[in-house]
Amino acid sequence: MRASVYFLHGEKISPAPRTVTPPATAAGALRALLAGPSRYERGRRRTTAIPSGTVLHSIVVRRHVATVDLSVRYDDGGGSLSMRARLAQVVFTATRFPAIEKVRFEMDGKPVTAFGGEGIVLNGPVGRADFEDLAPLVLVESPLVGDTLRTPVRVWGSANTFEATFRLKITDAAGHTAADVYATATSGSGTRGTFDVTIPYRAIRSGAGLLTAYWNSLEDGHVVTEDTVPVTVTR
């Protein structure tokens, strides 16, 4: 089964594909997350804030809340940004599954109420909305890093942009703009909504390409890039 794990691209979360085996799909995804980005993904500037050697002890889901028990290595080192980023990576990876809406953290079987040296308060389950500042304003959930595109391509995810509008651009292996379209989410201007569009494109050369989510500044029209997804574009 195809799943997504969430690494970092700069200081924002970014999904990457993984294959996991049912029925323990959420546990498989979290273990894949803890293993870190692949060489290909590292070459595309995907990183992780989760300390190497962190182990998943268990994940139990009840009433749409996943209790995730990790080894104490998860709490090692880093400032407040690193700590919040590693929490967000686990939360986004777990909540990609429809049965999970929020995450409660444990370490070595003990509930976590304050995390890290910064004392991040975790006095209850947390969800994606608690880490809105760590998500790009346009978060592309599909296609994922390394995917192969064929026209037309379905692009979906979530966005929180002014008036819920933004643009999606596909660049082919020749650097040619194969498509550049407007998209609209279900909400915006402070509230994250979802989007799901199908984009026909016309490539002149197959090979390594890029999907870019961006918007134009209202002040001077300059391009503000929110998310980039390295992909393979086919003619």
Side-chain angles (χ1 to χ4, degrees):
M1 176 180 173
R2 181 176 162 98
S4 296
V5 298
Y6 288 74
F7 296 122
L8 301 172
H9 185 201
E11 296 181 350
K12 304 293 184 180
I13 57 96
S14 177
R18 291 295 185 272
T19 300
V20 297
T21 303
T25 50
L30 287 174
R31 289 192 176 97
L33 170 68
L34 299 181
S38 67
R39 181 177 179 180
Y40 173 87
E41 291 156 357
R42 292 194 302 271
R44 274 75 186 169
R45 296 186 296 171
R46 268 56 181 181
T47 62
T48 182
I50 299 173
S52 175
T54 300
V55 174
L56 174 69
H57 293 317
S58 65
I59 174 172
V60 178
V61 181
R62 290 194 182 96
R63 297 181 179 179
H64 302 290
V65 175
T67 298
V68 177
D69 184 9
L70 299 162
S71 63
V72 292
R73 174 72 173 150
Y74 185 59
D75 194 22
D76 282 357
S80 59
L81 178 59
S82 174
M83 291 297 180
R84 295 194 73 253
R86 69 186 68 172
L87 291 171
Q89 287 183 251
V90 170
V91 168
F92 274 77
T93 298
T95 56
R96 179 65 182 261
F97 295 92
I100 301 173
E101 295 176 359
K102 292 190 174 184
V103 174
R104 179 183 288 111
F105 286 88
E106 293 183 351
M107 286 192 296
D108 285 352
K110 298 178 181 178
V112 178
T113 56
F115 184 67
E118 304 293 327
I120 298 170
V121 177
L122 293 175
N123 53 9
V126 289
R128 291 191 172 197
D130 295 289
F131 301 95
E132 175 65 23
D133 59 312
L134 293 175
L137 294 183
V138 182
L139 173 61
V140 176
E141 303 263 18
S142 182
L144 298 172
V145 177
D147 279 353
T148 297
L149 307 190
R150 293 176 178 82
T151 187
V153 59
R154 180 189 177 198
V155 182
W156 61 271
S158 65
N160 183 6
T161 58
F162 179 70
E163 294 187 342
T165 60
F166 56 94
R167 297 180 73 107
L168 295 167
K169 180 171 68 173
I170 297 171
T171 307
D172 69 10
H176 165 74
T177 298
D180 191 350
V181 301
Y182 280 101
T184 304
T186 54
S187 60
S189 298
T191 303
R192 184 167 292 268
T194 60
F195 67 90
D196 191 335
V197 297
T198 299
I199 304 173
Y201 68 82
R202 186 173 182 178
I204 61 175
R205 183 184 299 172
S206 298
L210 194 67
L211 171 64
T212 303
Y214 73 97
W215 48 278
N216 296 104
S217 167
L218 294 176
E219 294 180 1
D220 56 15
H222 77 275
V223 172
V224 180
T225 300
E226 285 298 335
D227 202 6
T228 56
V229 184
V231 292
T232 297
V233 178
T234 60
R235 293 182 60 186

